[in-house]
Amino acid sequence: RESLLDCQTRLGLMLPYALVELLRTQNGGFINYNLLPLITPTPWGEDELDLYLIPGISAQEPKHCGLSNFQINWIFGSDPGDDRMNALRRRVGNPQHIVPLERDAHCLIALDYRKNPFNVNPPVIWMSTDDDCEFIEIAQDFETLLCQLRKRPQSDPPFAC
């Protein structure tokens, strides 16, 4: 509980209730239902996304990829010389209002507090981290995202974020 309050204080945002409950059940890690069908395909034509793990909260290891550290790395970057990420942060507006849940080299899935930083149920977005910096709302909130997740069939090869 204390770690959760510390994390939210560090983020300066309230985490969605559904995420808090998930973190109480499983504090981060891989999730079984990890395939997200999309209503609106990505600019690359993908009609589904993989969400393999949810970052947890760790009081013991602050350098681990927990929610607040993941967000801090997103804002300030683990590599300050990464011009592509620096340009992306400038296009986003206030990067402190985007809390990444999953990230790879070309995109991220995040909670989007940009319209209302006091919203406890922000929309979940997919965002291209390439030069175009496109956004797609993939769920109206985190609980809806969880309800939309499906189990990837064993024969179906995964495609990252």
Side-chain angles (χ1 to χ4, degrees), residues 2-4 7 13 17 36 51-52 64 68 75 86 89 104 107 110 124 138 151 154-155 158:
E2 189 173 309
S3 294
L4 174 64
C7 178
L13 303 164
Y17 178 75
L36 178 66
L51 182 63
Y52 287 109
H64 274 280
S68 60
I75 294 169
N86 290 332
R89 284 185 202 89
D104 77 3
C107 62
V124 182
I138 57 175
K151 221 173 203 178
Q154 297 255 339
S155 61

Side-chain angles (χ1 to χ4, degrees), residues 13 31-32 34 41 49 53 60 70 87 106 108 134 142 147:
L13 303 164
I31 55 178
N32 290 326
N34 55 15
L49 298 173
L53 60 92
Q60 289 77 23
F70 201 4
H106 301 285
L108 65 91
E134 294 190 51
F142 189 76
C147 291

Side-chain angles (χ1 to χ4, degrees), residues 56-157:
I57 298 171
S58 175
Q60 289 77 23
E61 285 289 339
K63 295 193 187 231
H64 274 280
C65 188
L67 276 168
S68 60
N69 288 323
F70 201 4
Q71 193 233 17
I72 285 166
N73 285 338
W74 152 247
I75 294 169
F76 300 110
S78 51
D79 177 8
D82 186 343
D83 293 334
R84 186 175 59 86
M85 286 305 290
N86 290 332
L88 177 65
R89 284 185 202 89
R90 285 190 297 273
R91 284 193 299 272
V92 163
N94 189 348
Q96 293 172 320
H97 293 158
I98 293 185
V99 179
L101 298 172
E102 176 83 65
R103 177 180 172 208
D104 77 3
H106 301 285
C107 62
L108 65 91
I109 296 171
L111 300 171
D112 185 2
Y113 290 89
R114 289 175 303 152
K115 289 182 184 170
N116 182 358
F118 303 106
N119 187 356
V120 294
N121 286 307
V124 182
I125 59 168
W126 171 92
M127 187 175 116
S128 163
T129 57
D130 289 332
D131 293 336
D132 53 6
C133 187
E134 294 190 51
F135 297 86
I136 298 172
E137 185 174 306
I138 57 175
Q140 70 184 20
D141 55 37
F142 189 76
E143 184 173 10
T144 303
L145 175 92
L146 291 178
C147 291
Q148 293 172 346
L149 289 171
R150 304 287 177 256
K151 221 173 203 178
R152 177 173 287 289
Q154 297 255 339
S155 61
D156 195 7

